[in-house]
Amino acid sequence: MLHPRAKTMLTFGVPALLIGAASGIILVAVMRFANALQSLFWLHIPDALKINTLSAGWVLFILTLTGIAVGALIRSMPGHAGPDPATESLIGMPVPLVAIPGLLLALVIGLAGGVSLGPENPIIAINIAVAVTVGTHLFPRVPTTDWIILAAAGTLGALFGTPIAAALIFSQTLNGGKDVSLWDRLFAPLLAAGAGALTSNLFYEPDFALNLAPYAETHFIDIISGSVVVMIAIALGMLAVWCFPHVHRAFHAIPNPVVMLGIGGFALGLLALIGGQITLFRGYDEMKLLAISSASLSLGQLLAITLSKLAALVVAAACGFRGGRIFPAVFIGVSLGVLLHNHVDSVPAAVTVSCAVMGMVLVVTRDGWLSLFLAIAVVPDLKLLPVLCIVMLPAWLVLAGKPLMLVIRHDRSSETDRE
């Protein structure tokens, strides 16, 4: 009784569900391993040695040691722990299977050690590599691109706890033709994203929502205020984009990755001493703590936190740590939004925080749908949606044609050529 189009969509139903669930399981396993290692580094070992984790010596020691450890993995592991993350976008071609163990260890050590990067890029890369390898072995006639899409969709669903982000991202790339509608193309990715989201929600529920005063009523002035906020966020983000290739070039002039990442880790430790330990790690838990304690922080402290985290994101991504840039960008947006609200408290915090998050994520990802989704995820109030949609338009115009937060790969300087 099903139309041939429906039968075609169902063909990928079971593989999509399996890939989505497997993507969620891998994400949960990696995050639990990283959290356990983080507790060991920052709680159990210092307690056993009677060390104050807030001391400058411990922060510098752990971050430097983390850099040395990740550098050693890049130098010694097969596949060099994956490609240079500064040259990779969120979703790319599969990495060789031989690189997965090193990439996995480098990610976990970086997350546990306090590096200011998120898990998204390496996790997506790992899940894509596994899905492509298994999928092409079992179904050699299926194009590699299909397995990439399903693995990326499943991972995005698991990361954000909902398939909406994956649907928004792939709605831009899976354009429907005359014979195949967009929703036909989205059927399997949505299944994978839904399975990934449900799987991750069984173990922990990703929740980006902050404890902010609710947005009571829409006013025209909020559109003006939101536009100013998003432009400030874009200006700050583009400063980081301009610095990014220069910082990358400076670090990669060092031929030894152990020395390069050791120096990078030490630099991250120095930045943490300026902005405080709240600027360490991926930023997911830290942004909630920042929102709760924002009233007790001065404008100078919030400015130090914002700029330190922004600099830490540039350093961590440029010097070769394995990780993604979306989670730190969300933290920077939250910090900037709180700072602007405290400076001009007549503008609702819901407006300043959501618009700052949208602007910062827009700079880092250049993805309008994902930026809008994360802004609403952080401040989940549908009354804000019309404001954000309107504010997005001038922001997109400003960023049109501007450089991305990526470094053009050169074979001679690629890490895969390092010995």
Side-chain angles (χ1 to χ4, degrees), residues 31-52:
M31 294 310 300
R32 291 204 168 183
F33 184 23
N35 290 338
L37 203 59
Q38 179 180 329
S39 297
L40 182 66
F41 288 166
W42 294 91
L43 182 62
H44 301 304
I45 290 178
D47 282 351
L49 299 177
K50 308 297 182 185
I51 296 175
N52 179 13

Side-chain angles (χ1 to χ4, degrees), residues 63 84-86 114-118 244 247 251-252 261 264-265 267-268 271 309-325 328:
L63 267 299
D84 181 0
V115 174
S116 297
L117 293 173
F244 191 61
V247 176
F251 273 109
H252 285 257
L261 276 109
L268 292 178
L271 290 170
K309 186 69 173 183
L310 185 66
L313 169 58
V314 172
V315 170
C319 74
F321 282 107
R322 275 29 183 176
R325 300 183 278 275

Side-chain angles (χ1 to χ4, degrees), residues 297-316:
L297 297 173
S298 67
L299 294 180
Q301 289 174 311
L302 288 170
L303 182 61
I305 290 171
T306 304
L307 296 180
S308 297
K309 186 69 173 183
L310 185 66
L313 169 58
V314 172
V315 170

